[in-house]
Amino acid sequence: MNTIQDINSAITEERNLLLTHPLYARIRTLDHLRTFTEFHVYAVWDFMSLLKALQGALTCTQVPWFATPDPNTRYLINEIVLAEESDEYIDGRRLSHFEMYLDAMEHMGADASGIGSLVADLRSGREIAPAIAAMEVDGRVKDFLSYTFDIIKEGQPHKIAAAFTFGREDLIPDMFGAMLKEIQAAFPGADLSKLVYYFQRHIELDGDEHGPLAMMMIRELAGTDPVRWEEIAATAKEALRKRKGLWDAILEHISL
């Protein structure tokens, strides 16, 4: 295993389970959609930590500054960070995609207190693992978050890039495309412009720009090392399984 095609073959089953997940068809009311966002916001938030972990590993973010070894990976991650952390919002403001999502949640009446409490807990100085453990949420949300921060803590850029790329960037255009169709069909009269903008922005960026950049980053980080390629595949598989667990949790809560 030493190519992107090999990785895609290895994760086909996990990826297809997500793309055909019954959750999409079960979002039939605004309350269902609000519940979805109240769970999904954790994935929006921890994605930013994967992103910044990669930037920290692949660029110099300290003073005094020194050039990191590979200018290609430097460029690739900085290009992605630029949009994810300071993209243009529907109203012309510059916001991170996490801030956009929170604003969309508020606009549609969803409850963002859960993620707000987690962020406040971390801002107060609590470590990430005990902060996640203390959350009053479905255990699969905790599993999802814990896996992300375990990979970050391990500190191996190719594994962080695997979770980032195959668990997020490469998956999002197809996954959100399915989600957007369901939303627009189910709620033709509701004002979901901000949430739809968020989804559409991700589809555009990840499909046309960030997805290909992330794949280039994977190739740069793995090189010709067969062990790294195997570790990338294993990390990608587990990241997709954790995402499915999150989706399963949302589906169960919607069905209550």
Side-chain angles (χ1 to χ4, degrees), residues 201-213:
R201 192 71 186 122
H202 260 280
I203 291 168
E204 292 167 6
L205 282 174
D206 296 335
D208 297 337
E209 299 176 32
H210 292 181
L213 288 173

Side-chain angles (χ1 to χ4, degrees), residues 14-52:
E14 289 80 7
R15 197 174 190 279
N16 285 342
L17 285 172
L18 278 168
L19 295 179
T20 60
H21 198 284
L23 171 63
Y24 310 122
R26 290 295 295 275
I27 299 175
R28 285 291 177 241
T29 69
L30 281 175
D31 280 342
H32 290 167
L33 187 59
R34 292 184 185 108
T35 298
F36 169 80
T37 64
E38 289 160 12
F39 278 77
H40 178 241
V41 68
Y42 293 102
V44 177
W45 174 74
D46 81 336
F47 169 83
M48 299 301 295
S49 291
L50 283 170
L51 176 68
K52 298 304 284 187

Side-chain angles (χ1 to χ4, degrees), residues 78 124 127 133 154 163 196 227:
N78 280 333
S124 73
E127 295 292 327
E154 195 174 344
V196 169
V227 174

Side-chain angles (χ1 to χ4, degrees), residues 17-18 21-23 39 138 140 240-255:
L17 285 172
L18 278 168
H21 198 284
L23 171 63
F39 278 77
D138 188 292
R140 286 163 290 190
L240 292 171
R241 292 186 187 116
K242 295 301 184 187
R243 170 77 78 160
K244 182 180 180 297
L246 179 63
W247 262 209
D248 291 343
I250 301 172
L251 179 61
E252 286 184 22
H253 281 260
I254 283 176
S255 301

Side-chain angles (χ1 to χ4, degrees), residues 30-203:
L30 281 175
D31 280 342
H32 290 167
L33 187 59
R34 292 184 185 108
T35 298
F36 169 80
T37 64
E38 289 160 12
F39 278 77
H40 178 241
V41 68
Y42 293 102
V44 177
W45 174 74
D46 81 336
F47 169 83
M48 299 301 295
S49 291
L50 283 170
L51 176 68
K52 298 304 284 187
L54 280 171
Q55 188 181 36
L58 302 176
T59 74
C60 182
T61 57
Q62 300 175 342
V63 176
W65 177 88
F66 300 100
T68 48
D70 192 334
N72 287 331
T73 55
R74 233 185 285 155
Y75 163 76
L76 295 171
I77 194 61
N78 280 333
E79 277 291 302
I80 297 172
V81 167
L82 177 63
E84 296 289 350
E85 201 169 32
S86 53
D87 200 9
E88 185 174 353
Y89 193 34
I90 191 171
D91 58 10
R93 287 181 292 164
R94 288 285 173 184
L95 295 175
S96 70
H97 284 193
F98 174 63
E99 291 166 312
M100 290 182 188
Y101 202 83
L102 288 178
D103 189 64
M105 288 179 69
E106 181 181 357
H107 183 69
M108 62 185 285
D111 181 5
S113 62
I115 186 65
S117 294
L118 175 60
V119 172
D121 204 11
L122 294 167
R123 283 187 182 277
S124 73
R126 197 170 196 175
E127 295 292 327
I128 186 67
I132 292 172
M135 292 168 60
E136 296 182 359
V137 294
D138 188 292
R140 286 163 290 190
V141 177
K142 296 183 182 184
D143 289 344
F144 181 87
L145 290 170
S146 293
Y147 184 70
T148 294
F149 287 96
D150 285 346
I151 289 294
I152 290 171
K153 185 177 180 180
E154 195 174 344
Q156 298 191 51
H158 66 288
K159 290 187 179 182
I160 301 172
F164 177 86
T165 300
F166 296 102
R168 311 296 178 101
E169 293 292 84
D170 184 53
L171 179 71
I172 282 172
D174 290 336
M175 186 176 67
F176 278 3
M179 178 72 70
L180 191 58
K181 289 177 183 177
E182 295 293 341
I183 288 173
Q184 291 175 324
F187 314 114
D191 181 8
L192 300 174
S193 56
K194 291 185 175 181
L195 187 66
V196 169
Y197 179 87
Y198 170 87
F199 284 162
Q200 288 177 330
R201 192 71 186 122
H202 260 280
I203 291 168

